[in-house]
Every structure is written in structure tokens, then in C-alpha cells.
Amino acid sequence: MERDAMIVAGFGFRGAATVDSLADAYEKAGAAGRLATVLDKVPGVFSEFATARHLTIVAVEARDLVRQETVTQSFTSLAERGTGSVAEAAALAAAGAGAKLVKVRVISDDGCATCALAETAE
């Protein structure tokens, strides 16, 4: 029995990010089903965003971010998290083995949040 591929929206965001920051990045990326970010960023604004939209959160361990190959490179993300894009890495890690990036990170208008989309392997 084959299962359908699923899209996961991965997020990276600054401490100053708001629900509106996350919503802007999410909508620019094209919106998806599940949301993912690094585990220590889940409490607070990210949970508020997910709850308001009735979306499932997939928390990603920080060590799993560095295992992902990202398309874009943020010097801040590299320095703080060991990955070129937290959003891309979170999306890929949450989507699982064989996942592919289908939308590179987009940045919210206020510059506080990024979102990327990955598709699970079929």
C-alpha cells in the first residue's frame, strides 16, 4: 500500500518573531500541513501560531538540523545552529529519510521568520 507524500513547513525565527511574522513566512512559502522547527523554539509564539491554525507541530532535535543539506546559507544560522537554514533543515528532518526540499526558505517581511517546504518520500 503506497502512502501519499506529505508537505512539511519548516521554520526558523528570531526571538523577536511574532505570530504575524510566522504567518507571513508561511503564506509566502505556500502553506502546508505540518509545521516543524527546532525543539527549543516550539514553546511560545510557534505553539501559538500552530494552535491558531489547528496544525500539528513536529519538533526537531538540534543535532538533526546539521545532518540536512540546505540550499540557502545564512551566516547567523551557521553560527548559531550549524546549518545554512534552520527552516530548510527543520522541514527536511521532519519530513524524514528521502525527503526533498520543494521550496527554499522565504523570509517574512519583517525579517524575523523564515519558512521552507519539504516533501516526504513516497
Side-chain angles (χ1 to χ4, degrees), residues 90-106:
L92 288 165
K100 65 180 179 177
L101 201 60
V102 293
K103 178 78 172 184
V104 298
R105 73 180 166 116
V106 295

Side-chain angles (χ1 to χ4, degrees), residues 2-113:
E2 288 186 35
R3 61 176 207 170
D4 293 330
M6 179 179 41
I7 302 292
V8 177
F11 285 84
F13 54 97
R14 297 175 184 196
T18 64
V19 169
D20 289 339
S21 305
L22 297 171
D24 183 39
Y26 183 69
E27 289 161 14
K28 283 182 174 185
R34 291 189 175 174
L35 309 179
T37 196
V38 65
L39 180 62
D40 64 353
K41 296 286 233 170
V42 170
V45 70
F46 194 71
S47 288
E48 291 173 34
F49 171 70
T51 299
R53 287 184 161 57
H54 307 287
L55 296 169
T56 302
I57 294 174
V58 179
V60 177
E61 294 285 343
R63 69 178 175 267
D64 293 331
L65 295 179
V66 299
R67 296 180 180 146
Q68 308 305 318
E69 188 173 326
T70 64
V71 174
T72 64
Q73 300 293 309
S74 159
F75 294 117
T76 302
S77 291
L78 280 169
E80 294 181 11
R81 298 290 183 164
T83 182
S85 168
V86 172
E88 292 174 14
L92 288 165
K100 65 180 179 177
L101 201 60
V102 293
K103 178 78 172 184
V104 298
R105 73 180 166 116
V106 295
I107 304 170
S108 62
D109 285 342
D110 66 6
C112 290

